[in-house]
Amino acid sequence: MNSVPDLKGCDRSGPAWSVLPRQFYCRDTVLVARELLGKILVRRSRGGTTAGRIVEVEAYLPHDDPACHATRGRTRSNRAMFGPPGCAYVYPIHSRYCLNAVTLETGVASAVLIRAVEPLHGIALMQRRRGCLAVRNLARGPARLCEAFAVDRRLDRWNLARGQRLWIVDDPATRLRPEEIGQSVRIGVTAAHDLPLRFFWRHCPFVSGPRGWTYAQESPT
DNA sequence: CTACCGATTGACT
DNA sequence: GTCAATCGGTAGA
């Protein structure tokens, strides 16, 4: 269950890629967000398998973060965020979907939004699902990503640590150095637009956002 | 029930 | 660069 035999063409000779365990997500949300950069998102469905490298994420915090969907309390719609870490939180917006990974601990609502991946495997399938040929645009943006990976509400609360249907694997060959990680304010949010909780792989063409942002922001701290 | 709004995208000037 | 389509979630009558 831990190997990814389907990933022809992007598998590398070296240590086997392992599914990120629940423990990975049971940590500080910003830390999880930064470490998710470079990991591989995998989706296996009846139509086939797609995989892509995570290059852009945003953190949504449990406290003092008005942009977090759970900031006004628990509802039927956002209950995934209050559930166990390591599960998916799929939220509909503008008749599309966005994929999050729940973090921290059960009962505390926090998550990492996966905003963009670099398509690695199953590109033809993504092109068909998206109705788009340009590889750069297949999964650049949270809703595009979900369409390319056939992620919808049925995967809300799905356990990403199971290694089935939808999961994330470590790629030991890819470790981002701190200077390769850019940081900026989150895109599109109206509340808390001052918090720098977006993290992305600098100089990566598969990152979303207005032109220039990719290279503009330096990471403080 | 209605009214408003959004963690978006793609088309267009 | 600007802008509107689109629809589920949420709040409020």
Side-chain angles (χ1 to χ4, degrees), chain A residues 37 53-58 60 98 113-119 130 135-145 182-188 198-217:
Chain A
L37 294 175
R53 186 182 314 282
I54 296 170
V55 296
E56 179 187 0
V57 296
E58 284 175 0
Y60 287 85
C98 293
L113 171 69
I114 303 177
R115 283 195 57 93
V117 306
E118 172 191 354
R130 290 265 299 112
V135 175
R136 191 172 108 96
N137 292 332
L138 288 180
R140 191 171 59 102
R144 290 167 170 171
L145 182 158
Q183 184 171 0
S184 80
V185 297
R186 294 172 292 188
I187 292 180
R198 169 174 174 257
F199 303 93
F200 55 94
W201 197 329
R202 301 182 72 219
H203 312 301
C204 174
F206 298 96
V207 165
S208 76
R211 283 182 67 84
W213 281 36
T214 308
Y215 310 99
Q217 313 282 333

Side-chain angles (χ1 to χ4, degrees), chain A residues 105-182:
Chain A
E105 58 185 281
T106 302
V108 177
S110 192
V112 174
L113 171 69
I114 303 177
R115 283 195 57 93
V117 306
E118 172 191 354
L120 295 178
H121 179 81
I123 288 175
L125 179 54
M126 295 190 211
Q127 288 170 324
R128 207 177 321 139
R129 285 170 174 162
R130 290 265 299 112
C132 161
L133 287 177
V135 175
R136 191 172 108 96
N137 292 332
L138 288 180
R140 191 171 59 102
R144 290 167 170 171
L145 182 158
C146 282
E147 189 174 30
F149 280 68
V151 170
D152 62 30
R153 223 96 222 240
R154 288 170 293 189
L155 286 168
D156 188 41
R157 300 198 293 159
W158 184 261
N159 183 0
L160 300 171
R162 277 184 68 188
Q164 297 176 13
R165 295 199 201 189
L166 180 67
W167 68 95
I168 302 173
V169 297
D170 186 25
D171 174 10
T174 302
R175 291 280 184 268
L176 276 74
R177 300 189 305 276
E179 63 267 26
E180 292 178 291
I181 299 177

Side-chain angles (χ1 to χ4, degrees), chain A residues 5 26 35 77 98 103 158 180 190 192:
Chain A
C26 297
E35 290 197 8
S77 171
C98 293
T103 60
W158 184 261
E180 292 178 291
T190 52

